[in-house]
């Protein structure tokens, strides 16, 4: 059953024009019940399963996704693989609370869309460059400290406002120690 929990703390031109948060009320209660049920199903599942959070917002900004990731414990199930897609702003603040998924995250994608703070402020409206860099360093250091096989990936959606930053972005991400550096085109 399709569930859309499009909560994000940014309004990027390549994605959305307004903030959308679900934090209480009947819709919140309904979505919490759905993710609680999903967590139960995933924890009981004994076959290979891979899923991505999120692509429709930020899993660390969404109270519903955070609830799901805090509740989910698949640390003893090697058949579950998780991919995290985030803008990175809140990753440092919340990653340590999600210990039940740490061993199962195979890829941790952080969106940059810039190689400098000036362009980042245009392409990732509402973001904080300093927090992005701090969270990136934190996740990379966590991976190294815990000998995790998780791939830490930097993402860059190429658009008119940032295409001239591509080489700066590569240099920055290389210096931070990312495992992969990706480019994507805007899909409208």
């Amino acid at each position: 059953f399709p569930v859309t929990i499009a909560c994000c703390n940014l309004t990027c031109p390549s994605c959305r024009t307004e903030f959308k948060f679900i934090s209480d009320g009947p819709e919140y209660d309904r979505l919490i019940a759905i993710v609680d049920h999903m967590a139960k199903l995933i924890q009981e599942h004994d076959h290979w399963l891979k899923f991505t959070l999120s692509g429709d917002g930020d899993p660390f900004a969404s109270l519903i996704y955070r609830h799901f990731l805090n509740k989910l414990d698949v640390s003893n199930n090697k058949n579950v693989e998780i991919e995290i897609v985030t803008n990175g702003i809140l990753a440092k603040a919340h990653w340590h609370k999600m210990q039940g998924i740490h061993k199962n995250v195979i890829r941790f994608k952080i969106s940059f869309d810039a190689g400098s703070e000036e362009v980042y402020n245009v392409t990732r409206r509402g973001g904080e460059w300093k927090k992005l860099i701090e969270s990136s360093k934190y996740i990379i250091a966590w991976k190294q400290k815990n000998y995790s096989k998780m791939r830490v990936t930097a993402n860059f959606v190429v658009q008119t406002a940032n295409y001239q930053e591509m080489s700066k972005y590569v240099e920055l991400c290389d210096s931070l120690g990312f495992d992969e550096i990706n480019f994507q085109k805007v899909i409208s």
Side-chain angles (χ1 to χ4, degrees):
F1 51 90
V3 177
T4 302
I5 307 169
C7 295
C8 192
N9 51 338
L10 304 183
T11 59
C12 305
S14 63
C15 188
R16 66 180 41 85
T17 57
E18 59 188 39
F19 293 110
K20 180 180 179 184
F21 286 98
I22 302 168
S23 58
D24 60 11
E27 182 67 2
Y28 175 81
D29 295 339
R30 183 181 78 80
L31 292 171
I32 289 293
I34 289 170
V35 298
D36 283 346
H37 185 66
M38 287 172 50
K40 181 179 179 229
L41 292 174
I42 292 168
Q43 288 168 170
E44 293 173 354
H45 192 73
D46 63 351
H47 295 84
W48 184 78
L49 175 69
K50 179 180 178 180
F51 62 92
T52 301
L53 286 180
S54 78
D56 66 344
D58 188 273
F60 298 107
S62 166
L63 296 178
I64 296 145
Y65 279 147
R66 271 202 328 247
H67 171 84
F68 174 66
L69 293 173
N70 288 337
K71 181 180 183 107
L72 187 62
D73 187 351
V74 290
S75 55
N76 292 320
N77 188 343
K78 294 179 182 174
N79 291 324
V80 177
E81 294 182 349
I82 304 168
E83 180 178 74
I84 301 285
V85 181
T86 177
N87 60 44
I89 304 302
L90 299 172
K92 182 178 177 183
H94 295 286
W95 177 245
H96 68 282
K97 301 173 193 172
M98 301 170 178
Q99 295 177 3
I101 66 164
H102 285 174
K103 292 180 184 176
N104 302 79
V105 176
I106 58 165
R107 182 164 279 112
F108 197 105
K109 293 182 175 182
I110 301 173
S111 298
F112 276 73
D113 296 353
S116 69
E117 183 174 8
E118 180 184 5
V119 172
Y120 176 83
N121 290 338
V122 173
T123 59
R124 308 295 289 170
R125 286 189 312 238
E128 295 180 47
W129 181 255
K130 184 179 176 185
K131 283 187 176 182
L132 170 69
I133 301 301
E134 286 175 5
S135 283
S136 297
K137 288 178 180 178
Y138 174 82
I139 293 298
I140 291 165
W142 179 91
K143 175 196 167 174
Q144 293 167 347
K145 178 182 174 189
N146 291 282
Y147 304 102
S148 173
K149 294 181 181 178
M150 172 178 77
R151 305 285 294 165
V152 183
T153 303
N155 283 341
F156 187 107
V157 177
V158 180
Q159 47 201 295
T160 304
N162 69 0
Y163 73 93
Q164 294 179 329
E165 293 261 310
M166 293 168 75
S167 60
K168 273 186 182 178
Y169 157 77
V170 170
E171 289 171 14
L172 171 66
C173 293
D174 190 45
S175 73
L176 291 170
F178 277 89
D179 298 311
E180 300 171 349
I181 301 170
N182 291 334
F183 291 96
Q184 301 166 251
K185 65 179 183 174
V186 171
I187 299 172
S188 38

